[in-house]
Amino acid sequence: MKLTLWTYEGPPHVGAMRVATAMKGLHYVLHAPQGDTYADLLFTMIERRNHRPPVTYTTFQARDLGADTANLFKTACQNAYDRFRPEAMIVGASCTAELIQDDPGGMAETMGLPVPVIALELPSYQRKENFGADETLFRIIRALARPADRTAQITCNLIGATGLGFRHRDDMTELTGLLSDMGISVNVTAPYGATPSDIKRLGAAHFNVLMYPETGEAACRWMERELGLPFTRTVPIGVGATRDFLTEISVLTGLPVRLDESRLRLPWYSASVDSTYLTGKRVFLFGDGTHVAAAARIARDEMGFEVVGLGCYNREMARPIRALAMEYGVEPLITDDYLEVEATIEALAPEMILGTQMERMIGKRLGIPCAVISAPVHVQDFPARYSPQMGIEGANVIFDTWVHPLVMGLEEHLLHMFRDDFEFHDAAGASHHGGAHVANEAGGPAPQPAASPRGISAKENAQAGAEVIWLADAERELRKIPFFVRGKARRNTEIFATRKGLREIGIDTLYEAKAHYAR
Amino acid sequence: MSFDTPPAAGCRDAPILKQRGQHEVFCGLTGIIWLHRKMQDAFFLVVGSRTCAHLLQSAAGVMIFAEPRFGTVILEETDLAGLADAQDELEREVARLLTRRPDIRQLFLVGSCPSEVIKLDLARAAERLTLTHSPHVRVLNYSGSGIETTFTQGEDACLASMVPTLPETDARQLMLVGALPDVVEDQALELLAQMGIEAVCVLPTRRRDDPLSVGPNTVFALTQPFLGDTLTALERRGARHLPAPFPFGEQGTTAWLRAVADEFGVDDATFERVTAAPRTRAARAVTQAAETLAGKSVFFFPDSQLEIPLARFLTRECGMTAIEVGAPFIHKSIVGPDLELLETGPQLAEGQDVDCQLDRCRAARPDLTVCGLGLANPLEAEGLATKWAIELVFTPVHFYEQAGDLAGLFSRPLRRRAALRLEAAE
């Protein structure tokens, strides 16, 4: 048993629902107790779908336990077929039905339904949502896809986009455009928008684009083996990755790389002097493996941040994330326990967090700016506007999204230049942060009084200043030091004072320390 | 239409359509979300699967981050393989939890579908844990599983589990039963106090040490219609149930207070003096908010068991017509007084076969459909205005001062529909 307050992933049957809901003409019969229908609202509310997920629940109750649940399943299955007339069905059990061992697959097989019925085995007590989606897509494709003649022109499939996926909708659009510039059209996108008949003609493509390894890798590997379709390894999130992705495709197809960069703004925005203040911003990354790996490259190579920590919650991606962490010289954090994530963030005290909805809340609690890069996400991250993460426009979106929560460079300078002005004192914060934000530039936090709203700086102050006390005049003097070296000056002075065995820091100590370190 | 003239024929004996099939409802675990706010020193520990944890997180939305006093111990493969160590595992996790949260005084072990199916003996676990952690912590247990409970029944199971532990009393007293938002509870107590009824206690209390006892001279009034098991448990302790319509709207609140006042011998003049001003306020607020509602039809999908009293409020005080009133369960001994006040006409339905019910709803094309979040957006996309039902459980809606807000909850979707001048893109 394991105590859990927050889960990054749902149970595996929610993953199967994400595949079923993404598709058309497919129906999912889920052997599940009353109450499991809660998952419907993830799709109707968070993703704002305008139709019910194509899922029928058997809704068994305590009084049905025994032989009756099997009949309940068969009736539900037959009714679902009669009502919805799908091209194919998937059947499976939720965690409770797994315990009563009714074998939905076997039962459905004996019913002789006139459409393919695909049985799912999803171990609810070992695996989670992403596995459920990956496995379901793999089962569907294995059951339906057959070798076929290649299309005359070069086409590809987009594999892995599902319901409730972070920006999957717009990533598909963006990729379709990128590929079209290279002269490649899309054969099928699966599961998002595909019907079972579309799945049957997957084999006609020349290769697969694996958009999201978490939800499409098993299917791509099977298609590589059985249908002879190679698949791409690079996920085109970020400028560098997009270019590598197109190079990879060029190798696969023999077509020359063609990338229309006329709308690509990230490189210039990042190079412009306004972005100088981003240099060396210490960021912490957490999310699903794919998005974290992509974000790490952008953060370091395209934004000039310093990656101080990274990790993922899906252990399926643990190996690549560990390798990546080694490359970045940081400790990998592979955990699905948000308290561990929170503790790590507190210890690292980054200036920015790139993470999930959960890290957003951690950031809010600790007063650290945060941008969302990965599922799980709330309703605001299923936006109405076009906002992909992949490709050219994705890079633009990412630049804006990441920079926005940070105090603007110029604003930060003004804040400090006029810090004694009644409207611009340190505690006033930046205008768009509702007064709660206190500037925190390289060099560490300013010596705030204990009333500082920033959990981290308060804690750091408490730790560092536990043995030495800043006298009021010394603290006033410290504030006259430019903000970008102030934190360093504060730390050095405290270390100096501790070494000298001083319990209080006056102006003299401050300048003695300065002289000491100047040597 | 006035309160003094009940309908010639109410719905008490109207036929009830009973259906089996897919239920589009929450399980009883969801009750934790409001119960933990009410009981400030309680922690709700679900023993279940990842699905249970995911459900609570999805239903609780952002509340999960505000240092929640609920959590899930997720069963793993090893727990399923050998049941012997399940008790030890649980004791270990509970001990860890209580060390981390020393402010917890009552711990509820909440059963789920998986724990019920593998017959994990949580009652015994609760007894053992009480011995280990008493007197500081009391450990109780109830089931919020979907195979046994629907949505608000989780509160019923929780309150019923507390009744056997209450101290015995012979005092003549009134007990209010049902978790209400604090502001509403205070209003109710104030009204009763003004009528001279001072010996009042509330189940559940805000904190474990707040006074609460039960005995043969206790009469209790329910403030929520979904408390069937709690009613039985209280009767078993010798207390007597006071049947009344539920305190929704001006008329419902007055009738509810009237039943209590009669029981405690409050004279008419006092009753009139205490209720006159808030009655007028409530009636005026309802009239304003209900302008949009008059003449409109309403269709209830089953959700919380609040449906029958709410249909009574909407038809009698807001001028709506009910087409179908679905409820997960209909306890006639509890909602009888409301059924009597509900004019015959609407189809009463107990249980659900959601696809069939959707067919009936589409055929009837009601002006307003009250349903869960899994159905609301799909129905809106079909052109039907919806009011999502869960809000009715979280929002303060009982008694006089909330009557206008209650009508407002139903009129807002219709006013919004009228305000939007957009054709949907799809």
Side-chain angles (χ1 to χ4, degrees), chain A residues 18-19 21-24 47 49 137 156-181 184-195 198-199 202 209-212 215 235-237 245-246 249 263 291 382 385-394:
Chain A
R18 287 176 53 184
V19 171
T21 308
M23 290 182 63
K24 297 188 171 93
E47 206 180 5
R49 296 231 166 211
L137 181 62
C156 68
N157 303 312
L158 303 184
I159 304 296
T162 65
L164 272 186
F166 177 64
R167 309 294 167 86
H168 287 193
R169 177 196 71 196
D170 296 342
D171 281 349
M172 289 189 309
T173 310
E174 186 67 20
L175 278 194
T176 306
L178 273 187
L179 292 160
S180 144
D181 286 351
I184 301 167
S185 54
V186 171
N187 180 48
V188 172
T189 60
Y192 207 112
T195 63
D198 292 332
I199 299 290
L202 279 169
V209 171
L210 174 55
M211 294 178 69
Y212 308 101
T215 50
V235 177
I237 300 179
F245 168 77
L246 293 180
I249 287 179
R263 290 177 301 110
H291 284 92
F382 285 93
R385 67 178 183 276
Y386 183 59
S387 40
Q389 297 286 291
M390 291 184 176
I392 298 294
E393 188 57 25

Side-chain angles (χ1 to χ4, degrees), chain A residues 1-14 33-42 44-45 48-53 55-65 68 72 79 83-84 94-96 98-100 123-129 336 338-339 357-358 361 365 376 378, chain B residues 20-27 43 45 47 49-51 53-55 57-58 61-62 64-68 70-80 86-87 89-90 92-93 97 100 113-114 117-118 120 146-150 329 353-356 358-359 362 373-375 377-378 381 426:
Chain A
M1 290 184 196
K2 190 174 185 307
L3 179 63
T4 311
L5 303 178
W6 163 273
T7 65
Y8 281 96
E9 290 181 73
H13 72 257
V14 168
Q34 166 176 267
D36 278 8
T37 51
Y38 82 85
D40 282 1
L41 68 89
L42 302 173
T44 59
M45 299 305 290
R48 262 189 259 248
R49 296 231 166 211
N50 61 3
H51 59 88
R52 294 174 61 213
V55 184
T56 295
Y57 304 80
T58 54
T59 315
F60 57 82
Q61 291 173 295
R63 59 184 174 200
D64 305 319
L65 291 179
D68 217 22
L72 212 59
N79 288 350
R83 179 176 283 271
F84 300 104
S94 79
C95 51
T96 306
E98 192 182 330
L99 296 173
I100 60 176
S124 313
Y125 297 91
Q126 297 167 14
R127 309 305 294 264
K128 290 180 262 180
E129 182 178 328
D336 61 355
Y338 86 91
L339 292 173
Q357 177 68 18
M358 190 59 216
M361 303 311 292
R365 182 145 62 209
H378 220 315
Chain B
R20 288 293 319 270
Q22 178 177 328
H23 291 202
E24 186 82 18
V25 290
F26 280 130
C27 64
F43 193 100
L45 188 63
V47 182
S49 64
R50 178 167 300 280
T51 311
H54 196 236
L55 157 88
Q57 164 178 330
S58 311
V62 293
I64 193 121
F65 308 106
E67 197 60 35
F70 57 85
T72 309
V73 277
I74 294 185
L75 295 168
E76 292 168 326
E77 280 282 286
T78 48
D79 301 306
L80 303 178
Q87 297 279 348
E89 291 265 309
L90 193 55
R92 189 196 63 219
E93 288 299 330
L97 172 70
R100 211 162 72 189
C113 301
V117 167
I118 63 171
L120 197 54
I147 55 178
E148 290 158 306
T149 57
T150 305
F329 296 97
D353 182 336
V354 71
D355 285 308
C356 298
L358 280 167
D359 289 344
R362 289 177 182 126
L373 289 175
L375 299 177
N377 267 339
E426 286 175 297

Side-chain angles (χ1 to χ4, degrees), chain B residues 211-234:
Chain B
L212 180 64
S213 52
V214 68
N217 290 317
T218 303
V219 284
F220 64 93
L222 303 180
T223 53
Q224 300 280 21
F226 43 74
L227 298 171
D229 288 352
T230 311
L231 182 147
T232 313
L234 285 167

Side-chain angles (χ1 to χ4, degrees), chain B residues 246-266:
Chain B
F246 284 89
F248 295 118
E250 181 265 313
Q251 297 178 11
T253 306
T254 306
W256 187 89
L257 286 171
R258 183 86 251 174
V260 175
D262 288 350
E263 170 69 25
F264 283 83
V266 175

